[in-house]
């Protein structure tokens, strides 16, 4: 889960009970928070020292919630720049979320862009988790059956890990999505499908890395 620092401050002032619930959920296996720049900046736009200060400050803030120090980072608007590994490594970040298109454009073999990829800058390593474009377009706008079928097709092709990272507002804030996900029961059916399919085992990003 990723929540920007400024939103976290607003929640703390207006809905402290949510932070209590969040801290409790972070103690459960498989739950983790993603860090970022504190005020959700596009990282390559900032000076490296300013960006690092925001990431470190936000990681300390998240650690105080009780889930441990975050290992992964959510790239604001998923904007990637090749010099980021050195910056993120210095801030204690082990992995970041990118679009699978980034790996395809970097020359990854067709069909292999779903694998976690190790990159580096100046010898500083960073693992990239590529979010599947296909899954981003299916979830939650197509039926749960179609999502399951896509995962089944990936499995037949030998895909061992399907990574999906996306914006939370698709589940209730975008026009029509609250009615779809909650009134229409899409989210319950989706989670039940994940729980009830023997060949699907949900894992946290850090476990995948």
């Amino acid at each position: 889960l990723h929540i920007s620092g400024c939103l976290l401050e607003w929640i703390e002032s207006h809905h402290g009970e949510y932070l209590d619930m969040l801290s409790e959920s972070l103690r459960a296996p498989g739950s983790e928070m993603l860090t970022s720049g504190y005020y959700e900046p596009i990282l390559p736009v900032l000076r490296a020292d300013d960006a690092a200060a925001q990431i470190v400050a936000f990681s300390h803030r998240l650690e105080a919630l009780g889930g441990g120090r975050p290992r992964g980072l959510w790239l604001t608007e998923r904007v990637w720049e090749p010099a980021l590994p050195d910056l993120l490594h210095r801030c204690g970040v082990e992995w970041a979320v990118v679009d699978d298109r980034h790996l395809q454009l970097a020359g990854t073999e067709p069909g292999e862009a779903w694998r976690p990829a190790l990159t580096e800058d100046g010898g500083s390593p960073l693992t990239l988790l590529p979010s599947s474009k296909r899954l981003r377009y299916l979830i939650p706008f197509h039926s749960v059956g179609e999502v399951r079928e896509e995962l089944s097709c990936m499995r037949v092709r030998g895909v061992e890990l399907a990574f999906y990272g996306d914006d939370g507002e698709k589940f209730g804030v975008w026009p029509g999505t609250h009615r779809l996900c909650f009134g229409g029961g899409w989210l319950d059916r989706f989670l039940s499908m994940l729980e009830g399919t023997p060949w699907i085992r949900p894992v946290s990003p850090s476990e995948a890395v």
Side-chain angles (χ1 to χ4, degrees), residues 6-44:
C6 38
L7 178 56
L8 201 63
E9 289 182 354
W10 184 90
I11 291 172
E12 188 174 34
S13 298
H14 295 80
H15 290 282
E17 73 282 0
Y18 178 83
L19 293 188
D20 294 336
M21 182 179 67
L22 181 60
S23 294
E24 183 177 350
S25 71
L26 288 173
R27 289 192 286 271
S31 300
E32 62 181 318
M33 295 288 292
L34 280 69
T35 191
S36 70
Y38 197 101
Y39 297 104
E40 205 66 22
I42 305 290
L43 290 176

Side-chain angles (χ1 to χ4, degrees), residues 55-78:
I55 294 168
V56 170
F58 193 43
S59 293
H60 284 312
R61 177 69 181 87
L62 294 178
E63 190 173 14
L65 288 175
R69 190 160 182 82
R71 297 173 57 188
L73 177 134
W74 178 261
L75 280 172
T76 303
E77 299 301 327
R78 298 194 292 273

Side-chain angles (χ1 to χ4, degrees), residues 25 55 89 124 181:
S25 71
I55 294 168
H89 183 78
S124 298
C181 292

Side-chain angles (χ1 to χ4, degrees), residues 61-109:
R61 177 69 181 87
L62 294 178
E63 190 173 14
L65 288 175
R69 190 160 182 82
R71 297 173 57 188
L73 177 134
W74 178 261
L75 280 172
T76 303
E77 299 301 327
R78 298 194 292 273
V79 175
W80 173 255
E81 202 277 328
L84 283 174
D86 182 60
L87 166 69
L88 301 184
H89 183 78
R90 287 191 286 118
C91 297
V93 175
E94 299 175 23
W95 56 264
V97 180
V98 296
D99 289 349
D100 56 357
R101 182 66 173 154
H102 285 302
L103 299 190
Q104 293 165 7
L105 292 173
T108 305
E109 291 296 322

